[in-house]
Each structure stands twice: as structure tokens, then as C-alpha cells.
Amino acid sequence: MKVLVVNAGSSSIKYQVVDMTDESVLAVGLVDRVGIPGSTLEHKPLGKDAVVIKKDLPDHTAGMELVLEVLVNPEYGVVKDMDEIGAAGHRVVHGGESFADSVVIDDAVAKVIRECFDIAPLHNPPNLMGIEACQKLMPNVKHVAVFDTAFHQTMEPQNYMYALPYEAYEKYRIRRYGFHGTSHFYVSHRAAELLGKPYEECKIITLHLGNGASMAAIKNGKVVETSMGFTPLEGLVMGTRSGDIDPAIVFFLMEKLGMDSAEANNYFNKKSGMLGLSGVSNDLRDVEEAAKAGNARAQIALKVYYNAIQGYIGNYFAKLNGCDCLVFTAGVGENGISMRENICANLEALGIKMDVEKNKVRGKEVDVAADDSKVRIFVIPTNEELVIARDTYRLTK
Ligand code: ADP
């Protein structure tokens, strides 16, 4: 069976076609600037050159229509007709407290995704637009939702409740949800395989460090805690997000800068983090380069970044009562050699000892711990699309 994997954002649609007989990826593609003049589709079939198509696409339905056209194109398509695609799997950011697993989408599921618009206003509406466009164009197959929040639903109240008046939880659903769950799920399972231990017996700390970044503490197959919270703003220092701060700073700056809530949202989500602190860029590579060239703000920004992560490593060590391995993944985690080295420096007391020579690697699955390190340190490239394809297959085959 072949599965279409769809990740619909506000102005983009990413897709893959995965052949589940051997999990090979037959095509990957990206529709960009959906609803904005100058839309493009870039499609890369397995073993062939990429093609770029320019065509104005007013909405997600038009974008998906073009994707389906491309998939059956005699020259660069990957299926003869759409009947070869047995199911579609959709990334959905927020499933609230309703879903601890992926699920076949019906009216009730779509209703819950819609009910989460309020708590995930930037993500769930385009995710649902992608689903509805796909359902319209592929009415004969099942569609599966794979939620970023689902894996974290094993957290217990002491790990997900905030110390606010209880009605904030009851009335407004304010609690820690956590995100990047599909990635934490994938790399933690791979880590257990590399450890050669049953997943249900492992203590794992995963570090998903991309432009957005989060960590998770996983024990006996369950997420104990994760660093993103009610929204992806909480936790680590990110490309443009502040991560943890004193919440009083928000009221203080709203008053000083005359910001309304939308402006404050933008300030802490888009203007802060490495970009705000360094004044250089949200891209870690640029900040590292500036730091090397002597830029003092960039140097401080990097130290703040490491400091936040080391704090969470200590926190999660305590909550897991020890740890078998750290796992670095996503853009920075997979490629940031000096980043990983600096994060792991001075953690010997926890039994974390890196082999700096082995650590000189990018984008490969490898153990970079010293032979005598008590804790393994894995670099594992994430593969969220594969998890979506596998879940879709599992639920529809
Ligand atoms: P997202 O999916 O959250 O947008 P990615 O997982 O693609 O992010 O990660 C993007 C980040 O990866 C960029 O900010 C970039 O700084 C970082 N990155 C990529 N390559 C390197 C590298 N060689 N060294 C350090 N950081 C890197």
C-alpha cells in the first residue's frame, strides 16, 4: 500500500508518498505561497530530477489539486492513478486532551480539531484546511490525523498542571500539552533500538533542536514531561521564541511598549530568542559565526541557549531518576557540532561524557558518547513523515 503524507501549514503544503511495502519514499514535495501570488510547487520523485511548477494557487484545495496532478503525471509522477494511494495521513498540531494516539478522521474527529482552533490558532486551521481539501479530492480513501500533542498525553497532572486558579484548566483548558511529539516518539524508539533494550525499560531524554525546540523526558515508554507547554512558546530558547521567562515581563513590557496582546504575542514568539538576543539571526549557524568573529551579544546568546538546555537536562535527570541516553535531533541537534559539544560540556557529574572526535558528524545516526560515558549520547535524524505513514498504514490497512 502507498500512503500520502500531508503537512499543511498556513501558506504551504508539504507532502510525501511512501510505499509501505519497504517504506521507501517515492516522492517528496512542497507547495509554497498558497493563497499568495507567486505560488510554486517543487516535486522530487525518487531517482529523478526535481521539477518546479509555477501556478497561482488561491487556496489549499487548489494546492492539493496540483499535488494530485503531479503525482499521476506520466513523466515525473509516482503512481499511474490515484487509486494506488491507499490512505492519507495528516499532521495535525493540536489534539487537546482528546487524542493520545493517531486516529481515522470522521466528523467527530474533525469537530475536535476545530474545537482546538482556540488553543492552536496558527496551526489547526490550516491543518484542517489541508484535510478537507484532501478529503474532497480523495473521497474513497481513509484519512488519518497524527497529532503533535498525542505522544505527550501520558504526562501526569503534576507534570502538566500549572499553578493557576483551577478554573483556568477547567474552563480554558490551560495545561501543558507539549509539541513535536511525533519527533520525540520516533527518535526515542530508535534510541531504545540502539541501546538494545526494550522501549518500556528505557529512560531517555530527547532534544529536538530546530528553529522551534523542545525536550522530553521519557520513562518506561511514557512521556514524563516535556518543555513546551500550553503553546510552543514555553521551554528552551529558540530561533525567535523566548522560551521560559518570568511571566511578569509580559505585563511590564506590554505597558512600557504600549503593546496589545497580538503585538505581545508577536514580540515573544517572533522577535525574541536567538534573533532578539543576538541581534544577528534566528539561524544558529549565523549566530555561531558572529560569535566566532567576536560579536559579544552573539556569544552571550549562545551561552543562554546552552544554559537553558543544561537546566532541562538536570531537571529531567532528577525526574527520571537517571538516564540511559540523550538524543539530539532536528536541524541544530543533527548538525550543530559545537552546539552539542557545548551542551554536553561539564555534565560529567551526571555521567555524560562526549567523545568530541566522534561528535564531528552531521545528519547521521551515531553514538557520540565516550566509551566510558555512563549515558549514551545519540545523534538521530528525525523522521516525522515516516511515523505519520506508519500510523496511517496501521490504522487503515
Ligand atoms: P524547523 O523545522 O523547526 O524550522 P529545523 O529542524 O529544520 O527547523 O532546523 C533549522 C535550524 O537548524 C536552523 O536554525 C539552523 O540554524 C540549524 N542548523 C542547520 N544546520 C546547522 C549547522 N550545521 N550548525 C548549526 N545549526 C544548524
Side-chain angles (χ1 to χ4, degrees), residues 210-212 282-285 288 330-332 335-336 362:
N211 211 359
N282 64 308
D283 191 307
L284 255 314
R285 286 166 293 197
E288 282 181 342
V332 180
N335 300 297
R362 295 187 204 279

Side-chain angles (χ1 to χ4, degrees), residues 7 15 27 32 48-49 56 89 92 98 106 115 186 192 209 228 233 238 271 273 388:
N7 180 354
Y15 65 90
D32 213 4
K48 289 187 191 166
D49 290 340
D56 275 342
V92 180
S98 303
D106 58 15
E115 281 165 6
Y186 175 79
L209 309 178
M228 282 180 169
L233 182 56
M238 306 179 216
K271 294 189 176 166
I388 296 174

Side-chain angles (χ1 to χ4, degrees), residues 317-345:
F317 244 79
K319 288 184 181 146
L320 295 176
N321 192 15
C323 174
D324 296 312
C325 65
L326 304 183
V327 186
F328 285 91
T329 194
V332 180
E334 292 165 27
N335 300 297
I337 293 171
S338 72
M339 189 61 70
R340 290 193 301 257
E341 190 180 329
N342 282 296
I343 289 166
C344 292

